Amino acid sequence: MRSDSAKEIMKHWKITGYIATVVIVFAFPIYLVRIAIERSAPEIQSGPFFTGRESCVECHKKENDLWLGSHHDMAMDTASDESVLGDFNNVEFKHKGLIHRMFRKNGGFYINTEGPDGKFSDFQIAYTFGYTPLQQYLIPFEGGKLQCLPIAWDTDKEKWFHLGDTLYTDEDLKPDSWLYWTNQAQNWNGMCADCHSTNLRKNYDTVTETFSTQWSEIDVSCEACHGPASEHLQWANLPEGSRPMDVNTGLIIRTRDLDNQELLNVCARCHSRRSVMGDYPNDNEDLQNHIIPQLILQPAYHADGQILDEDYVYGSFTQSKMYEKEIRCNECHDSHSLKTLEDDNKLCLICHRPDIYDSPTHHFHKMPVEGGKHLINRDKPEYVEGTGSQCVNCHMVGKFYMGNDYRRDHSFRIPRPDLTLSIGTPNACNDCHTDKTVEWSQTYIEKWYGEKKRPHYGETFAAAHEGDPKAVPNLVLYAENELFPLMVRATAVSLLGNYDDSISRGVIERALGDPYSLIRYTAVNAYIPRDAQSLEKTMAPLLNDPVKAVRTQAAFQLSVLPENNLSEAVKKARNAATEEYKNVNLYMSDFPGARHNLGILYGNSGDLENAASSYRSALKIDNLFYSSKVNLAMIYAQQGKNADAEKLLREVIRDHPEAVQVNYSLALLLAQNGKFSESRKYFLEAIKILEGQPRILYNYALFENSQGNIGIAEEYLLKAYNSEPGNYDFIYALCTFYLEHNQKTKAVVYANLLIELFPQNPVGKQLLEMSSN
């Protein structure tokens, strides 16, 4: 059954003749009208099925009453006089010299604004999206798409505002921009829908590039968390004495008697920044069977793990002492109303002793006056008595998102002005005391709490982001010490993947066997194989990992190996996991990243035509997704289309000067094309910009050796080796270089080093024999 409101709006829209062309990234072209976003017609169903909230109310009235009016209840609704909060009484909103008009017509809600081609036209609102502190509005387009207007209603100030004023202030968005409101960044189906409705099925067709998105209930209702209720109703309708002894009362998702991790997993499928692998399967399985959480890496987070971009709680909370002490979400928030159980400090004092913590001897700030006002969820801080005594203002500093939505950091950290001084991260003191220096704040921290500073992983992560090799020992500590939070450990493993040395590789290889799936997945992703043999030996066992994210990523890693190199058992396991990997990316193929991933997979298997097609599809979705342009250039080079490849790389360097690594790619391609002088220019540019990355030094040395510049070749080989003394490739290259130029005494040194560092590899002994003859 199609959505009547969306269908009628589309009928009117087509009659007006406003047929738009479409655009890009996270984007989608406009096709024939297919908005099927409502429950399908009844059909015979096997197994548990969704029955709707009304079937729950009779027995669960208290929970239903708490839920009514909550953010879950108001997550999305059909546009009506009751649901629409914005002013559509023929009002004008001026923004950047343009006038947008909100008005009513024939009982509907309309806006006159810029459309897919940049020209103004009338669009009817189909749905409301969200409730407070802002309400957004969804407009249907052909191909089953719903798009979020960039103009939203501020429910507190009761006025219209433009999200672009805070989200992308430095960009003048054109209709071909991925961020433009009719394109993928503002597409409801792929970006928002799965967390705002119950039993959401995206139903994206990769071939036609259209959606047929469906739900069972428009908002976040009972079964969004508890799962389909049909078997629970059967259980409940039995006489009390004849009900099976089922601790979960017929529900397939267990939501009672959960520990903190189990409950967090129920919430985290939405309350996390994550990649999604498919429609939610309604089970209690490992979280990484459905989503892959974002690690606390820049630019999503500050170096010390504080929220920077939108976080949605999981990434910050899993760093916290609260999480470490097994505090559950529902010990602070009611599961149905979502409100905190108490207001202000009273919430914290449920657990924390007031005589110790709710006292100036702890926080060194004035207590609020009786009946007075204390400042929370502020815009610009104002000094009022009691502000500094509020726990959240020191331990849960927040940030505005979506223009006016103030969200607090759930990592529950102590103020650290010293980290502001050392690595530039924010601190709670100067969040309030904006007229003071960081040094002033640090002076008081030392006066009140002493001069001793605790080591913090943020210092190591900041150094690792800069590629500082001195960060490795501490990264090893954070990765392998189970006393540190899981999120911190996984992030350390990920950062070790940026270092090509034996210590980092060893940690990553050990992490492949970690009991936590997030660590295993991160290790698979960070793993850099030494050779084909080590790749197969390390990755093959993980093809049968019980967790989807792990085994599919292992299949992706192994996709570089030809089939005839694999045993039948490994081949069978890889084929099965590769099929899963394809399905994950086909599910997400409305995003350029998924098409890009498929391009890599096809390219690794030698299917160059499908690889090129996938990269072109990614660029069709987002013409700024330059990673696909770079990879497409590499495919063209493999196909002998060197001129086309060179053209693409030059375009990337011209249009994306921040993509400095492309200088290196172009240098390699130009060398292959015989343009040696220009190749040398781009090699040296890459070395300069990328501050002598060892792999670039190594390849530049090989290039100069091929040109007969032996002295330069030796100089840069030694530079590469000195940067990473344990690197197999660099040692091997030095040994063979000296053999080639009849410097056998030096070759012996590096042959012996190969034997010492890689005793299982016979190459060292072979080279030693050649050096000794």
Side-chain angles (χ1 to χ4, degrees), residues 28 145-147 183-192 211:
F28 28 177
K145 295 176 297 180
L146 286 177
Q147 298 298 127
N183 297 333
Q184 181 63 26
Q186 311 303 331
N187 171 245
W188 166 87
N189 311 72
M191 296 291 286
C192 323
F211 294 93

Side-chain angles (χ1 to χ4, degrees), residues 123-284:
F123 297 91
Q124 187 175 355
I125 308 299
Y127 301 99
T128 62
F129 204 60
Y131 181 46
T132 61
L134 72 156
Q135 185 175 70
Q136 292 182 271
Y137 301 96
L138 304 180
I139 290 176
F141 283 83
E142 294 189 346
K145 295 176 297 180
L146 286 177
Q147 298 298 127
C148 298
L149 271 174
I151 301 170
W153 180 252
D154 186 321
T155 60
D156 294 331
K157 298 178 181 178
E158 296 189 334
K159 67 176 186 178
W160 293 102
F161 72 100
H162 200 290
L163 291 165
D165 289 340
T166 56
L167 294 180
Y168 28 87
T169 54
D170 57 341
E171 298 189 48
D172 182 20
L173 298 186
K174 303 298 182 185
D176 66 344
S177 167
W178 177 71
L179 291 168
Y180 190 77
W181 78 273
T182 59
N183 297 333
Q184 181 63 26
Q186 311 303 331
N187 171 245
W188 166 87
N189 311 72
M191 296 291 286
C192 323
D194 62 331
C195 288
H196 280 255
S197 298
T198 301
N199 188 28
L200 198 287
R201 296 294 178 258
K202 184 167 73 169
N203 295 333
Y204 177 69
D205 188 311
T206 303
V207 177
T208 62
E209 300 180 355
T210 59
F211 294 93
S212 183
T213 306
Q214 296 176 317
W215 61 58
S216 59
E217 291 183 271
I218 195 170
D219 49 22
V220 182
S221 195
C222 311
E223 292 165 297
C225 299
H226 294 282
S230 59
E231 292 187 359
H232 171 68
L233 292 178
Q234 293 176 15
W235 178 91
N237 287 328
L238 291 171
E240 195 165 333
S242 61
R243 291 172 181 168
M245 295 298 291
D246 180 358
V247 293
N248 211 44
T249 65
L251 290 168
I252 63 172
I253 297 181
R254 190 165 61 89
T255 53
R256 60 187 296 175
D257 302 324
L258 304 181
D259 63 29
N260 74 322
Q261 183 60 61
E262 291 169 329
L263 181 58
L264 183 60
N265 284 355
V266 173
C267 305
R269 74 175 184 92
C270 283
H271 290 277
S272 62
R273 187 184 179 107
R274 75 241 186 271
S275 299
V276 180
M277 292 186 281
D279 291 328
Y280 185 52
N282 299 299
D283 57 38
N284 281 108

Side-chain angles (χ1 to χ4, degrees), residues 10 13 19-34 116 140-147 175 182-184 187 189 204-211 589-591 595 617-622:
M10 284 305 309
W13 185 67
I19 304 297
T21 58
V22 134
V23 285
I24 62 181
V25 82
F26 287 106
F28 28 177
I30 294 193
Y31 283 92
L32 95 112
V33 181
R34 285 179 57 200
F141 283 83
E142 294 189 346
K145 295 176 297 180
L146 286 177
Q147 298 298 127
T182 59
N183 297 333
Q184 181 63 26
N187 171 245
N189 311 72
Y204 177 69
D205 188 311
T206 303
V207 177
T208 62
E209 300 180 355
T210 59
F211 294 93
S589 60
D590 51 322
F591 289 85
R595 303 273 188 161
S617 294
L619 290 167
K620 178 182 177 183
I621 295 171
D622 181 2

Side-chain angles (χ1 to χ4, degrees), residues 574-594:
R574 187 181 73 167
N575 289 344
T578 299
E579 193 63 26
E580 283 189 294
Y581 183 84
K582 284 183 182 178
N583 288 335
V584 165
N585 283 282
L586 287 171
Y587 175 84
M588 293 297 294
S589 60
D590 51 322
F591 289 85

